[in-house]
Amino acid sequence: MTLSHCIALSLILCGIGLFGMLTRRNLLGILLSVEVILNGANLNFAAFAHFKAADPVAGAIFPIFVMAVSACEIAVALAIILSMYRRKKRLDVYRLEELNG
Amino acid sequence: MTDILFYTMAALLVMLSFFAVSLPNLLHSATALIGSFIITAVLYIMLQIEILALAQIMLYIGGIVVFMLLIILLTSGLGGVDDKLGKITIGKWISKGAITALLFTGLLYFFTENSSRLLDTGASKTASLTIDQIGIRLLSPENGFIVPFEVVSLLLLAALVGAVVIARKDTEKKEDLS
């Protein structure tokens, strides 16, 4: 288990999350893919903090902030989804064209 | 031993994350996401950062995924989850998979070309972190993280108020307070 293994794993996770963001049509599915991407990024932080950091405490603290901010993001996004569903009765991103200009 | 465990966990993590982004039913996706977060917590324990594993389980599994499940069940009409939105057709597979593979190979090329600069093996093995160190550092004013901590608390408050305001039902008749 080296740093290269962890970097490769987080790269694969980010690729999977990007694929999900591009393929999903449901808004909730896109949010779920964003969580997969953030998971890969946190794993990267932890790997560098464990293997190479001169100051590993900072590398362990930063993912906690990432988790808190992602909790905020998911709360606001799910509120938006709920109100959008209440207005439109659908969550298809191809159909939500109100901000199309 | 550690290598075998890491490879097993990595394979499981990749498999479950792929299920989470590709299963048509969102409830199954959220369940696969719970599994992938648990395995990520196991990887954090293998990296000797236990507080991250605890925070992962508490925040992600206990908070975010449960919240997502709640909204999935709220927005899926009467019990059923809409499967026809979640279908990933062959064309989408090929096109978006090509984009993802392009990015992936680009990053992989970058990392393998510059691996000597990025990953020199002369890494100093640091002592393992204790939760005491992390907590003291998180709340210490000098060389610490007290300001981001407070900013995150304000951000959580703002997100709470904003979520309540956005998700509130619009009452048609406004009450005159004057």
Side-chain angles (χ1 to χ4, degrees), chain A residues 1 4-5 11 13 15 22-26 32 35 39 42 50-53 55 67 70 85-87, chain B residues 3 7 17 20-21 23 29 37 40 44 47 56 60 75 77 92 96 100 107 119-120 125 137 167 170:
Chain A
M1 179 176 181
S4 310
H5 288 106
L11 179 61
L13 280 185
L22 292 173
T23 47
R24 287 274 183 176
R25 288 180 61 179
N26 195 325
L32 209 130
E35 293 303 317
N39 200 11
N42 281 341
H50 179 253
F51 286 110
K52 275 186 73 74
D55 181 13
M67 288 176 194
S70 98
Y85 181 78
R86 204 180 282 138
R87 278 167 212 270
Chain B
D3 277 343
Y7 284 132
S17 303
V21 302
L23 283 177
S29 296
F37 284 155
T40 315
Y44 288 150
L47 289 170
Q56 176 94 7
Y60 270 124
T75 55
K92 273 202 281 187
K96 273 79 173 185
T100 308
L107 282 173
L119 321 168
D120 52 344
K125 278 296 290 181
R137 180 74 187 278
D170 291 333

Side-chain angles (χ1 to χ4, degrees), chain B residues 85-127:
Chain B
L85 271 189
K87 286 269 196 304
I88 297 179
T89 58
I90 296 294
K92 273 202 281 187
W93 264 96
I94 293 171
S95 57
K96 273 79 173 185
I99 294 171
T100 308
L102 194 71
L103 179 106
F104 187 80
T105 47
L107 282 173
L108 205 63
Y109 175 75
F110 175 77
F111 276 121
T112 48
E113 281 297 303
N114 300 313
S115 61
S116 58
R117 268 189 293 157
L118 288 168
L119 321 168
D120 52 344
T121 51
S124 58
K125 278 296 290 181
T126 52

Side-chain angles (χ1 to χ4, degrees), chain B residues 42-77:
Chain B
V42 171
L43 282 174
Y44 288 150
I45 291 175
M46 286 171 68
L47 289 170
Q48 295 174 348
I49 308 179
E50 288 88 3
I51 188 173
L52 273 186
L54 299 175
Q56 176 94 7
I57 289 176
M58 280 193 299
L59 267 170
Y60 270 124
I61 300 173
I64 292 176
V65 182
V66 171
F67 202 13
M68 271 191 170
L69 279 172
L70 202 73
I71 303 290
I72 288 167
L73 290 175
L74 269 176
T75 55
S76 60

Side-chain angles (χ1 to χ4, degrees), chain B residues 160-175:
Chain B
L160 180 70
V161 175
V164 169
V165 167
I166 292 171
R168 195 179 47 188
K169 275 199 171 67
D170 291 333
T171 53
E172 292 302 322
K173 49 184 179 64
K174 297 273 201 313
E175 298 161 11

Side-chain angles (χ1 to χ4, degrees), chain B residues 17-38:
Chain B
S17 303
F18 190 72
F19 282 162
V21 302
S22 65
L23 283 177
N25 192 331
L26 274 176
L27 279 177
H28 299 169
S29 296
T31 314
L33 196 71
I34 290 176
S36 81
F37 284 155
I38 290 173

